[in-house]
Amino acid sequence: MSEPARYPGQQADGRRGRVLQRTARRLAGALGAALVLAGTLPGFPAAAAGGSRPAADATVSAEYPVTLTIDSVNKPVAVPNGIVTVTGHVTNGGRSVLKSAHATVRKPWAGKPLTTRSELAGVVTRTSPQGSDGISLDSPQYALNELGPGQSQPYTLSVAVADLQLSTEGVYELAVDVWGSTADNQRDRPLGIARTFLPYVPTNQPEALPSKVTTLWPLVHAPVLVAQTLAEGDQTVPVLRDDSLAAEFAPGGRLYALVETGASLTGLTWVVDPDLLDTAFAMTKDYRVQKPGTAGHAAKDENTVRGTGTAAATAWLEKLRGAVAKPGSQVVALPYADPDLASIAHNAPELEGIDAALGKAATAGRLTVEGRLSVDTRADVAWPYGGYLDQRIASVAQRAGAGLVLVNGASMPESEALKYTPTAPRPIGNGQTAVVSDQVVSSLFEEDLATPQDQTLAVQRFLAETFVVSRQEPQNSRGLLVMPPRELSAGTAKVLAGALQTAQDGKWVEPVKLDALAQAAPDSKANTAVPAATDYPARVRDSELPATALTATTRIQADLDTLMRVLTLPQRVRGPFSAAMVRSLSAEWRSQAPAGSDYRDGVQNYLDELTGAVKVPPKRVITFAGDTGVLQVSVRNDLTQTVTNLKLVLSPSQPNRLRVEMPAEELVLPASQSVTLRFPAEAKNNGTVGMTAQLYTTGPDPQPYGEPVHFTVEVTSVTNGVLYVFGGGLVLLLLAGLRFVRQRKRRVAHDDEGDAPLVPADEPADEPADGPDAGTADGAAEDPGGLDGAGGTGRTPRDSRADGRDRATSDEKVGP
C-alpha cells in the first residue's frame, strides 16, 4: 500500500515514493533551517526572546485545522539508548472532517542542538508547521480516527532516542505533528503541530559547572486578623474577618501544599509574611470569626462565630518549622503584613510618618518570624509587587532600610549586545543591591499550571533554558534568581519543584539560598540602570492602592494617637490597631481590591466606635432660670477600661449673654459609667443661647476628642427677678415712710416732741400683706438654680420639684 504524500504536489509510489518523500522532507527541513540560521546573521532581525511558554498548538486555519497538545514526556531528559514517550491530544478545530490522519514525531533538523536562548525563543514563536521543525519519522506513527469538527482523540508515541539522531549534548526541539487530509481538501499535508524541548545528556560528555539557582518560595495570604478582640473569661480572644485560612492550612489547601512541597527541596529561600505567622499562631488557640456584614463593629458573641482551624493551624506551623530548619535553607522576613512599596512610592511617597511605619514593620517582621519559627532570618530585603522596580520604589525601599531588592528581569532587561546571561546580583547605588530574576524562567510559573499540557511545557522549557545558560560559558558558573508570584498556587509549586529537582539531578543546576547568590561578584556588563517612574508598567500601576487609601490610613494613625492619650490601658488597643493599619497597606490586596477596601473601612469604623464610646450624650435644650446657677452636663464612658486625661469645655455662642466658668479638674471616667459635670454660669439676658460641648485631651498639645455636641440654653426670669427685687425695695421704703408718719402723729397726739425708735423693742415690725418673703434679702438671694445649694443658700424655691429625667442621656433642665 502506498504511503500518503508528505508535501503538496508529491505523489508516492511504493519504495520510490517513500524515497522521494524523505528527500522532500530533508530539502524542506534544510530550507527551514537555513531561514532560521539567516535570522541569526547580521542584517536579519533577531528572534524575540519572549518569556511565553512553547506554543501548545498551531494557530487554527483552513490550511492547518488541527490543534495538538503535548501532555506528558516520560523522560524529561533524554539519555543514550533511552525511549521517549510522548502523550497528548489531537483536536479537529476546523469545519471539515479529518480523514486518513496520523500523528508522528519529528526528528530535529540535522540532529543539531539549540545553543542559544534566542534559538529557544525562535521555536516558541512559531505557529504553524515549518521545515525548521525537523523531519517527520516514518515510525512510530499513531493512526487517528476520522474526527469531525470539534472532536478530539488522545495519542501516545514512543520513540527511541537513537532514532532522533541527536548529535551531541544539548537541547533539542521535540515536535509532534499530524498528517492527513480533510473532506474539503483531499491533499495529504501537515495539519498541525505541537512543540516542546528535550535536553540530551550523554553520560560520556564532560560536565560544565552548574548554574547556581536561588528560588523564592513565598508564603503570603491576604490579611484576616482584625483589630477587634473578644473577652472570654480571663483571656482575650482574637477575631478574624473570615475563616479562609482554616482550609488553606488543612491538607489539600494551598499553604499546606506549599510547605509540603517546599520541604522536599534543598537550598530553598522561604519568603514569609510575618502577619501570616501571627495569624496562624492566633488560630492555634480559641478564636472568633466575624459574621458577614459586621466588620467595623465591636466583637460580641452575637456577631461572631467560633473558628474551626485550630488543629490545622497548629499542625501547619509545626510542619513549617521543620521545613525551614533544613540545612541550606534560608528564611526572608518581609516587613510585617507585606506593605505595598510600589503603591506608597507612586501615590504617597512623602506621606507623614510613612518611613517610620515601614521601618517599624521591618523590625516587627524580623522579630515575629524569628519568634514563631525559631530560626535566624534576613529582614533587609524589599520585594516590590511583582518585582517591578523604578527609581521611586528604590528610594522608598532604601529609606525603609532595605539593602537588597528583589527585581523582576523585565524592569532591568539586558542589552541585546550581551550574548550570555549575566549573574543576578548587581549594584544600583545608594548602598543597595538588586537581585534580578531571570525573566523567561520566572514567567513560566506566573500562572496557575492547572493542565498537564501547561505543566509539561513549563518543565521542558525550564530545563532547556537553564541547560543552555549553564553551557554558555561552561567554566563560569552563573547565578540565577527564580521569582514566582506571591500567589504561587499549589499546582504550580509542584511543577516548579519537579523542574528544579530534574535539573539538579542532571547536574546543571545547583540550588543555593539568597545570601549565597547576593554575595556573588556582579557582572560588569550587566544592566545596573534603575528605570524611571515613567517606565513603570501601566498594567501593574492600575492595580495599586489609591492615594485616598494611603492617606486614610494616616488619618487612622492620628485618631489612634488621640485615643491612646486617654486610655489607662492603651496596650489593649495599640497593638491590634497598629498591626491592622499596616495590614491595610498590604500588597496582597492587589488581587482582592474590594476586600482590601472593606478591611480598611472596618479598621476606621471600629476606631470611630471606640472613640465614640467616650462621649457627651446628645442634648437639645437646657432651661436656665435666673441670673446665676449651674449647668449640668454628663460624659459617658462605654469602654471596659477607665478613661482619663480629658477635659470638657462648654463654649457659648454669645458669651456676653451667658458666661460659663470652666472647672479646672480633669475627667476620670470609670469603665461603663457616666460622670455629671457642673459648670457655674451667669446669665445677662433672657432668650436662647447656643452652646457647644467638646471633649479635649489634656497635657501638651491638647486635641479635640470625638465629635462636638451642640445644644440650646433657654435663659428665663433674669429680668423678672430684678424687677421683683426692685419692687420689694420700693415697698419697704413706702412702709418705712408710713410708719414714720404714724409715729409722728402718735407723738403729736401725746405731745411727745422727743425722738422715738422706728420699731419699738418690744413690738415686732409690721409685715407687708404679701408675706414674709416678698421683699426680704434672703428671698432675693436664693439660688435660682435650686440644685445642691450651688450659687446660693441651698433653699429650694417654691413650686420646684424633681423632674425624674436621666441627665446623662436626655434633655436637661437647670433651675425651677
Side-chain angles (χ1 to χ4, degrees):
M1 180 176 178
S2 62
E3 190 174 303
R6 292 290 194 253
Y7 289 93
Q10 281 191 316
Q11 300 294 327
D13 183 17
R15 178 181 177 86
R16 180 174 178 273
R18 287 192 293 274
V19 172
L20 289 174
Q21 293 161 15
R22 286 194 291 270
T23 302
R25 290 182 217 145
R26 293 189 181 98
L27 289 173
L31 178 60
L35 292 174
V36 171
L37 179 61
T40 65
L41 296 177
F44 286 83
S52 58
R53 293 190 297 272
D57 46 56
T59 301
V60 173
S61 64
E63 182 67 17
Y64 304 110
V66 170
T67 61
L68 277 82
T69 65
I70 295 177
D71 295 343
S72 70
V73 178
N74 75 318
K75 297 293 184 182
V77 179
V79 295
N81 302 319
I83 300 292
V84 176
T85 299
V86 182
T87 67
H89 283 80
V90 178
T91 302
N92 181 4
R95 300 180 179 179
S96 183
V97 176
L98 189 66
K99 294 185 174 182
S100 303
H102 66 270
T104 186
V105 176
R106 288 202 181 193
K107 179 183 69 175
W109 181 80
K112 293 183 178 180
L114 304 166
T115 58
T116 66
R117 302 188 75 178
S118 60
E119 287 180 339
L120 299 179
V123 172
V124 172
T125 58
R126 299 176 198 158
T127 58
S128 60
Q130 299 180 15
S132 53
D133 291 313
I135 303 172
S136 299
L137 294 174
D138 294 333
S139 177
Q141 293 183 358
Y142 190 92
L144 301 171
N145 301 326
E146 285 193 358
L147 297 177
Q151 291 184 331
S152 181
Q153 181 179 348
Y155 71 86
T156 299
L157 290 166
S158 296
V159 60
V161 173
D163 291 341
L164 295 175
Q165 298 180 8
L166 309 180
S167 60
T168 185
E169 176 191 70
V171 175
Y172 296 83
E173 178 185 348
L174 177 61
V176 176
D177 62 357
V178 170
W179 289 76
S181 62
T182 56
D184 59 355
N185 186 341
Q186 299 296 324
R187 178 170 52 90
D188 189 54
R189 65 192 191 278
L191 301 175
I193 193 168
R195 307 174 178 87
T196 189
F197 299 103
L198 183 67
Y200 175 60
V201 183
T203 55
N204 61 345
Q205 293 291 332
E207 293 183 357
L209 292 176
S211 296
K212 299 184 183 301
V213 175
T214 295
T215 303
L216 305 181
W217 207 256
L219 292 180
V220 300
H221 188 277
V224 293
L225 265 177
V226 297
Q228 291 92 322
T229 56
L230 183 66
E232 288 189 352
D234 296 333
Q235 63 177 349
T236 300
V237 178
V239 178
L240 278 58
R241 67 182 178 92
D242 60 47
D243 212 9
S244 57
L245 281 175
E248 293 261 13
F249 290 150
R254 185 183 73 91
L255 292 172
Y256 180 93
L258 288 178
V259 173
E260 184 176 51
T261 302
S264 65
L265 299 173
T266 58
L268 208 57
T269 298
W270 301 80
V271 184
V272 183
D273 179 2
D275 174 56
L276 176 62
L277 300 183
D278 262 356
T279 306
F281 183 77
M283 293 173 62
T284 61
K285 303 175 183 179
D286 289 340
Y287 69 97
R288 306 285 294 189
V289 178
Q290 291 176 334
K291 291 182 179 179
T294 63
H297 297 293
K300 301 176 182 177
D301 287 337
E302 55 267 27
N303 62 13
T304 61
V305 296
R306 192 166 297 279
T308 63
T310 298
T314 302
W316 183 82
L317 271 177
E318 286 301 318
K319 194 176 187 71
L320 177 59
R321 291 186 183 107
V324 299
K326 289 186 62 174
S329 298
Q330 183 176 4
V331 177
V332 170
L334 292 172
Y336 196 92
D338 191 17
D340 194 335
L341 293 180
S343 294
I344 294 170
H346 293 152
N347 300 323
E350 304 302 327
L351 196 62
E352 183 179 358
I354 195 64
D355 291 344
L358 292 176
K360 291 178 180 178
T363 301
R366 176 180 61 81
L367 295 176
T368 300
V369 173
E370 290 179 351
R372 301 298 185 207
L373 299 182
S374 301
V375 295
D376 292 332
T377 184
R378 181 166 188 170
D380 64 336
V381 179
W383 188 15
Y385 182 77
Y388 293 100
L389 184 69
D390 63 22
Q391 293 171 5
R392 291 182 182 177
I393 299 172
S395 176
V396 170
Q398 191 269 339
R399 298 202 308 264
L404 201 66
V405 185
L406 306 176
V407 181
N408 189 315
S411 287
M412 299 178 66
E414 300 305 329
S415 168
E416 293 183 358
L418 194 63
K419 300 303 181 184
Y420 62 88
T421 300
T423 198
R426 57 205 65 179
I428 58 174
N430 297 321
Q432 288 179 302
T433 297
V435 182
V436 182
S437 73
D438 189 282
Q439 181 189 0
V440 174
V441 171
S442 297
S443 68
L444 300 174
F445 307 99
E446 286 182 350
E447 305 296 333
D448 184 12
L449 304 176
T451 68
Q453 169 196 355
D454 290 340
Q455 295 167 4
T456 297
L457 295 180
V459 169
Q460 298 304 124
R461 179 76 183 276
F462 176 88
L463 298 177
E465 296 285 349
T466 53
F467 188 96
V468 168
V469 168
S470 69
R471 266 51 178 181
Q472 288 173 339
E473 294 182 359
Q475 301 308 313
N476 183 12
S477 179
R478 294 286 187 270
L480 301 180
L481 176 67
V482 180
M483 180 190 293
R486 278 172 163 81
E487 305 83 7
L488 180 62
S489 70
T492 301
K494 291 180 180 179
V495 175
L496 174 55
L500 286 167
Q501 191 62 56
T502 300
Q504 184 179 358
D505 293 344
K507 298 183 179 179
W508 68 82
V509 159
E510 178 186 351
V512 297
K513 58 186 180 181
L514 180 63
D515 278 353
L517 181 64
Q519 292 166 5
D523 193 311
S524 60
K525 296 181 180 180
N527 179 19
T528 60
V530 178
T534 54
D535 296 327
Y536 193 80
R539 62 177 179 81
V540 185
R541 188 185 289 270
D542 288 343
S543 66
E544 289 180 348
L545 302 181
T548 53
L550 301 173
T551 54
T553 303
T554 302
R555 288 196 299 271
I556 292 175
Q557 180 64 60
D559 293 344
L560 180 63
D561 291 342
T562 301
L563 180 61
M564 292 297 100
R565 295 174 69 169
V566 306
L567 299 179
T568 53
L569 297 173
Q571 64 275 15
R572 291 184 181 178
V573 177
R574 182 187 295 111
F577 261 104
S578 297
M581 283 187 295
V582 180
R583 295 183 191 112
S584 298
L585 306 178
S586 176
E588 275 63 70
W589 299 126
R590 290 276 193 135
S591 58
Q592 302 180 43
S597 180
D598 290 345
Y599 187 90
R600 288 187 290 274
D601 290 345
V603 175
Q604 180 67 67
N605 293 340
Y606 181 49
L607 180 56
D608 291 344
E609 184 172 317
L610 287 183
T611 303
V614 181
K615 60 184 180 296
V616 177
K619 303 176 184 300
R620 290 192 297 274
V621 179
I622 293 179
T623 301
F624 188 91
D627 55 345
T628 60
V630 172
L631 295 176
Q632 290 193 139
V633 181
S634 298
V635 182
R636 176 73 184 175
N637 175 20
D638 287 326
L639 297 175
T640 57
Q641 61 175 286
T642 299
V643 170
T644 186
N645 297 328
L646 277 175
K647 188 172 184 177
L648 180 63
V649 175
L650 296 187
S651 303
S653 59
Q654 296 173 293
N656 60 321
R657 295 181 57 192
L658 182 64
R659 185 178 64 84
V660 180
E661 181 180 339
M662 296 296 131
E665 66 274 10
E666 296 180 358
L667 282 171
V668 176
L669 301 173
S672 303
Q673 292 187 31
S674 293
V675 171
T676 299
L677 303 179
R678 305 161 62 81
F679 294 84
E682 180 181 1
K684 301 296 185 180
N685 300 96
N686 286 334
T688 300
V689 178
M691 187 71 69
T692 299
Q694 174 68 67
L695 288 168
Y696 283 87
T697 60
T698 58
D701 189 24
Q703 297 294 320
Y705 182 92
E707 297 297 325
V709 173
H710 303 284
F711 57 94
T712 299
V713 178
E714 291 284 356
V715 180
T716 64
S717 303
V718 171
T719 303
N720 293 338
V722 172
L723 292 176
Y724 187 70
V725 172
F726 284 138
L730 182 58
V731 169
L732 288 174
L733 289 175
L734 290 174
L735 289 174
L738 256 163
R739 296 178 64 181
F740 175 79
V741 172
R742 289 171 59 191
Q743 290 179 359
R744 184 71 174 173
K745 288 180 178 181
R746 185 181 306 159
R747 286 201 303 270
V748 171
H750 289 81
D751 198 19
D752 182 4
E753 297 296 333
D755 293 333
L758 293 177
V759 180
D762 56 350
E763 179 182 355
D766 294 337
E767 294 180 348
D770 288 340
D773 294 332
T776 62
D778 284 345
E782 284 179 357
D783 175 16
L787 295 174
D788 301 329
T793 62
R795 295 171 57 185
T796 302
R798 290 193 301 264
D799 298 327
S800 67
R801 59 185 179 274
D803 57 18
R805 295 178 181 177
D806 179 359
R807 301 184 185 277
T809 59
S810 63
D811 297 344
E812 293 189 12
K813 182 178 180 181
V814 179

